[in-house]
Amino acid sequence: MTPSGVQCFCNNLFPSKAELKQHIKEKHLLPAFSSKSVSFFEKDREIPDSSNSLEYTNTLEMAKIMCIELMDSEPKDTDLSLDHIRRYTRLIQREISTIKLKNNCSSYSSEMRAPLRRQNPEIFSFLDFYSINIHDVVAIAFNGSSMHCTTTPSSDIDLYIITKNTRSGKSFCDFNLDTKRLSKKYQPEIRSTCHRFEKNTEKDIDAMICSLPVFIWQCLNSNPAALDLLHISDELVLYEGSDGFFSELREHKDTFYTNFLPYTGFAKDRIRKLKAVNPEELIPDKDRLDRLSDLIKTLKMNIADRLEDILENVDDFDDLIARNTDKSLIYSIAGLQFNAGIKVKRVIRPLENQLKKIKEGATNIKKLSTIIRLITQIKELYTNGHFEYPLPNSTLMMNLKSEASSDEDTKKVDEMINEFLAQHKEWSKNSRFADRGDKDFWKKWLKEKSIDEER
């Protein structure tokens, strides 16, 4: 077998950054190889020993970052097409993720189910950890940052496993796409090798396990995580059943979308939390958060008084407190609105919750990466009707995730947020999507595939 471009330049585990950059730029070193050529599932594919896999994957991560930078550069630093660079990036990401998956599964082999009941090929032995038979699988795909091509060396492995049956193994013949709320027996299951309350590491595997009818129900109900998966490329799909159900879902993904995208509300909520304390700046600074904490302490000392009486007599909190100029007598404190005549004791708990949310979310710069991804997806969907990974602006997302962002990155984030807030309604108005998803199409499809809703 002729080695792929990835294998060629990684034969040397320690190439310099200059060598990698030169390799990526030279067109003859980027052959149009099949996705299988970099998969550890091929029998004749050699994976480095565990002792070398860390250096190997770090080299691949470096190459992937360079590809993404090349993809985002203007003008392009190469005559390669955007599609070519994107596909090469996905192939590198697959190589990184599959090596990690193989090594991580070996670590958890002692927790696998009894071999006598095992009905999975060795290459899919990780399914034993989740008590899933490969014959019941519709598709297995990389998920999260492994799908977005924005992993870092410390990222864990995220998988999405779509099955034909419930967790208990019963048929979904009684499932109804018209249901407003999923009962417990139908809800997707999240399984992780990480212990509860511990932070995931590169040695952990997280899996979202969802049945096919429920996956369709989630897409019809605008679940962003499910809809994301419909845009995954073949290179990052580990397995698809011979029935080809997953390919059909991706082919008809437009039937799930409407002219109000679910990502929009999610993005606006994240942005609102981000700017709750410091609306004039991108990220709430520590001093202002400390002042909010001090304001809460002051209010606690006067819980029996009216809010207006207290706020009219406190100093040094002008950046947190704003009073409406109309006659509504409403105060805005850290993004929350209160009537001036309300008792202070009724203000304390909401402000404490707001402070907690902001500290846990908005002050974490990694959350900005999610906001940029959502905004990019929204714009791509509304203006182009689709998107693919890696997304435009992936360089910015990775900088934010690694907390290596510059002032220029911060300025770009602010510009993107402002453009989104000003333009998303116009984008929606001009999009090609319908007012609602085509539920009837998927009811008919499930019946035709003998995954009937009714007995």
Side-chain angles (χ1 to χ4, degrees):
M1 180 179 71
T2 304
S4 70
V6 172
Q7 289 167 285
C8 284
F9 85 80
C10 284
N11 283 340
N12 172 14
L13 289 178
F14 305 100
S16 67
K17 189 171 183 178
E19 289 172 328
L20 277 175
K21 197 167 188 177
Q22 183 65 25
H23 171 91
I24 292 166
K25 285 184 178 181
E26 291 183 5
K27 191 170 184 176
H28 70 278
L29 290 177
L30 295 176
F33 42 75
S34 69
S35 60
K36 287 185 177 180
S37 66
V38 291
S39 168
F40 78 75
F41 295 130
E42 262 189 306
K43 291 182 179 179
D44 51 356
R45 172 73 173 94
E46 291 186 3
I47 293 297
D49 295 334
S50 298
S51 58
N52 293 328
S53 62
L54 178 60
E55 292 87 351
Y56 183 78
T57 54
N58 285 346
T59 296
L60 289 169
E61 285 284 3
M62 190 189 305
K64 183 190 69 181
I65 290 172
M66 290 180 181
C67 283
I68 288 175
E69 288 176 349
L70 192 62
M71 183 188 81
D72 286 342
S73 64
E74 283 293 341
K76 292 288 181 291
D77 199 9
T78 176
D79 60 347
L80 291 173
S81 70
L82 181 61
D83 287 343
H84 200 108
I85 300 171
R86 266 205 173 109
R87 187 159 184 268
Y88 189 60
T89 306
R90 292 194 296 260
L91 288 167
I92 295 175
Q93 182 65 66
R94 178 177 176 125
E95 181 81 335
I96 293 168
S97 300
T98 49
I99 291 172
K100 277 190 174 183
L101 182 61
K102 181 180 180 181
N103 290 339
N104 292 355
C105 283
S106 299
S107 301
Y108 296 103
S109 59
S110 60
E111 300 179 49
M112 301 294 184
R113 302 298 176 186
L116 292 176
R117 299 191 61 185
R118 182 177 296 172
Q119 300 185 53
N120 298 317
E122 183 179 354
I123 54 177
F124 296 115
S125 61
F126 60 85
L127 291 176
D128 296 323
F129 184 79
Y130 307 113
S131 302
I132 295 174
N133 188 325
I134 189 67
H135 300 296
D136 293 328
V137 172
V138 173
I140 305 170
F142 286 115
N143 193 32
S145 58
S146 298
M147 175 175 65
H148 304 146
C149 300
T150 57
T151 56
T152 64
S154 61
S155 295
D156 63 347
I157 295 295
D158 294 304
L159 296 175
Y160 208 117
I161 303 172
I162 303 176
T163 64
K164 298 176 185 176
N165 300 320
T166 65
R167 284 179 286 176
S168 60
K170 295 180 181 179
S171 171
F172 263 91
C173 292
D174 61 338
F175 184 77
N176 183 358
L177 282 183
D178 290 322
T179 187
K180 299 297 182 183
R181 191 172 183 178
L182 289 178
S183 63
K184 187 175 180 180
K185 68 176 180 177
Y186 293 139
Q187 289 177 358
E189 182 181 10
I190 301 176
R191 294 285 304 276
S192 176
T193 56
C194 180
H195 294 293
R196 194 178 180 187
F197 305 123
E198 290 184 1
K199 185 178 180 180
N200 279 358
T201 70
E202 69 278 4
K203 295 182 179 180
D204 289 307
I205 305 169
D206 284 351
M208 170 71 78
I209 304 168
C210 183
S211 72
L212 178 60
V214 170
F215 182 82
I216 293 173
W217 180 88
Q218 286 189 312
C219 290
L220 287 168
N221 285 273
S222 300
N223 180 283
L227 289 172
D228 268 6
L229 201 69
L230 299 179
H231 294 269
I232 195 170
S233 62
D234 288 341
E235 292 87 357
L236 295 172
V237 177
L238 285 174
Y239 171 83
E240 181 174 359
S242 58
D243 44 40
F245 290 164
F246 186 55
S247 291
E248 291 190 45
L249 261 66
R250 288 188 288 166
E251 181 182 349
H252 297 291
K253 57 180 172 284
D254 278 9
T255 60
F256 296 117
Y257 281 116
T258 67
N259 51 23
F260 182 79
L261 297 175
Y263 305 103
T264 305
F266 189 22
K268 290 172 75 173
D269 181 66
R270 287 295 182 99
I271 293 168
R272 179 184 61 80
K273 291 178 180 178
L274 186 74
K275 295 193 172 187
V277 170
N278 196 358
E280 301 303 322
E281 301 292 338
L282 185 64
I283 304 170
D285 59 80
K286 185 178 183 302
D287 289 342
R288 195 159 293 190
L289 288 172
D290 288 342
R291 284 200 296 280
L292 175 56
S293 180
D294 290 340
L295 176 60
I296 292 172
K297 291 177 183 177
T298 300
L299 293 173
K300 282 183 175 180
M301 291 187 292
N302 302 274
I303 60 174
D305 297 321
R306 294 168 70 249
L307 181 62
E308 184 174 34
D309 295 337
I310 301 301
L311 296 186
E312 290 297 321
N313 295 293
V314 297
D315 298 320
D316 198 33
F317 296 111
D318 291 345
D319 54 347
L320 295 176
I321 304 168
R323 182 167 182 166
N324 288 359
T325 56
D326 59 21
K327 296 182 180 180
S328 61
L329 300 179
I330 297 295
Y331 278 102
S332 176
I333 308 175
L336 300 181
Q337 291 190 332
F338 303 98
N339 186 283
I342 194 173
K343 292 290 186 180
V344 171
K345 65 180 180 181
R346 295 174 58 188
V347 174
I348 302 297
R349 181 60 63 85
L351 284 179
E352 286 180 332
N353 290 338
Q354 183 77 333
L355 178 61
K356 181 180 178 182
K357 288 178 182 177
I358 294 167
K359 282 185 174 180
E360 291 178 350
T363 56
N364 184 347
I365 197 169
K366 292 182 182 179
K367 301 290 184 182
L368 285 174
S369 180
T370 301
I371 291 175
I372 295 306
R373 175 172 59 81
L374 290 169
I375 290 175
T376 303
Q377 287 173 323
I378 292 164
K379 187 174 182 178
E380 290 283 300
L381 280 169
Y382 276 145
T383 58
N384 300 323
H386 68 280
F387 64 80
E388 61 179 305
Y389 299 111
L391 291 164
N393 302 310
S394 288
T395 301
L396 177 59
M397 296 176 211
M398 295 189 71
N399 286 348
L400 293 169
K401 283 185 65 175
S402 63
E403 300 186 10
S405 57
S406 62
D407 291 341
E408 185 178 342
D409 291 330
T410 301
K411 182 179 178 182
K412 185 174 181 180
V413 170
D414 210 14
E415 290 173 352
M416 290 180 66
I417 288 176
N418 291 335
E419 180 193 25
F420 163 71
L421 294 175
Q423 297 291 327
H424 73 85
K425 290 182 180 179
E426 193 66 24
W427 295 341
S428 172
K429 182 180 177 181
N430 296 328
S431 74
R432 62 178 173 80
F433 297 124
D435 291 336
R436 62 178 184 173
D438 194 346
K439 187 183 295 184
D440 291 338
F441 173 88
W442 291 106
K443 287 181 178 180
K444 181 180 178 182
W445 187 87
L446 285 172
K447 290 181 179 180
E448 288 177 350
K449 304 303 179 184
S450 299
I451 309 176
D452 207 333
E453 294 180 337
E454 300 176 357
R455 291 188 183 277

